[in-house]
Amino acid sequence: MLPHAGPCLPCCSGAGRLPAVVVRNPFARLMAYYQRAWLGNRQKALQSVDEFPDWVESLAAAQAAGAYGELLSRGQARG
């Protein structure tokens, strides 16, 4: 959680303040990683945005098999 950026406004200071966490959509994170690390990389098995669903399915299968980290690091996460 990020620390408070500076002087707090009177309306949100003190007791009863609601902590909030802002996170990115997991699908958007996966898509951004796929686009950055896989598309156009000739060393990777999948080369098209159309193959993104296959990539996601292979990640889920690797996770279920307990081999997610190893397969992903080698670029072989494909079902």
Side-chain angles (χ1 to χ4, degrees):
M1 199 160 169
L2 297 174
H4 195 278
C8 192
L9 297 173
C11 65
C12 68
S13 63
R17 185 172 174 191
L18 178 65
V21 177
V22 178
V23 296
R24 191 170 172 199
N25 180 314
F27 176 80
R29 292 186 71 196
L30 282 174
M31 179 57 96
Y33 175 77
Y34 181 77
Q35 289 174 329
R36 184 181 67 250
W38 287 72
L39 293 183
N41 186 339
R42 295 175 191 217
Q43 296 176 341
K44 305 293 184 182
L46 305 174
Q47 294 289 314
S48 167
V49 172
D50 295 334
E51 295 173 307
F52 178 71
D54 297 333
W55 183 77
V56 172
E57 287 178 12
S58 67
L59 289 179
Q63 177 72 24
Y68 175 78
E70 180 184 343
L71 291 176
L72 187 60
S73 69
R74 291 187 310 177
Q76 298 176 350
R78 182 180 171 121

